[in-house]
Amino acid sequence: MSNDADALKRRAALAALEMVPAGALLGVGTGSTVNLFIAALAANPGHVRRAVSSSQASSALLAAAGIEVVDLNEVTGLTLYVDGADEATARRELIKGGGGALTREKIVAAAAERFVCIVDERKLVTRLGRFPLPIEVIPMARELVARRLRDGFGGRPVWRSGYLTDNGNHILDVHDLVIEDPVALERELNQLAGVVTVGLFAARPADVLVVGTASGVERR
Ligand code: 5RP
């Protein structure tokens, strides 16, 4: 990550911290932007004491920051979910999963009253799909799903070889998709046998987009 990108991500992360009520039960996403958010939490001890995490990587950082990581099954709801994205539109529809944590991210987002997405301005797009769409698949179905993606959707799936998700599954990164209707595509791809999670966050988009820009922070 370049220093410039790092600075913009940090701006978004710090702005998100201001949106977190003291004592909130927080959902925490995954990735370099979220890591900056966790660092901001660590610099404000006691502001948040408990969180549900979307990945083993974030759990380790949260624990190191003195924040108790709780099982989603042990709580009834989350006040807020803070996570990054690989692409975001003005409608706050997202592509996520560059870091491979999309399944748990989608679960934690679904449990949260409010989803605050933190990005730097380079992630903003008018149409999703320049970033290859990550899809988590059951390993035995990988090639079956890849064929369906090629034949039925015109995509070019590339297996993230050598990588296993926290759930023990594979990821296909799908290039060249034309995403005109993200909600419909998310629904259709979700129905392919063997697909665990699609990295489109459109049926449940972010509620707020916090964008770190060269001139400051924009909230959308
Ligand atoms: C991980 C994700 C991340 O939010 C996404 O990849 C953005 O990461 P970064 O903040 O490092 O740019 O979806 O699965």
Side-chain angles (χ1 to χ4, degrees), residues 28-43 48 51 53-69:
V28 177
T30 301
S32 58
T33 317
V34 166
N35 291 350
L36 294 166
F37 174 72
I38 296 173
L41 287 173
V48 166
S53 169
S54 65
S55 64
Q56 292 170 5
S58 290
S59 294
L61 290 176
L62 286 164
I67 295 169
E68 182 191 355
V69 177

Side-chain angles (χ1 to χ4, degrees), residues 86-87 94-98 102 106 128-137 145 149 153 155-160 170-179 181-182 185-190 192 195 197-202:
D86 300 298
E87 280 186 351
L94 314 170
I95 284 184
K96 291 184 46 53
L102 62 162
K106 202 170 264 196
L128 297 172
R130 191 178 58 205
F131 190 92
L133 178 67
I135 300 183
E136 180 165 349
V137 296
V145 173
L149 290 166
F153 296 87
R156 184 168 57 83
V158 176
W159 175 29
R160 210 180 285 183
H170 290 179
I171 298 266
L172 293 170
D173 292 302
V174 191
H175 300 247
D176 302 340
L177 284 173
V178 178
I179 306 180
D181 184 343
L185 186 64
E186 182 179 0
R187 190 173 46 233
E188 286 173 45
L189 292 175
N190 267 329
L192 295 180
V195 166
T197 302
V198 178
L200 278 169
F201 285 55

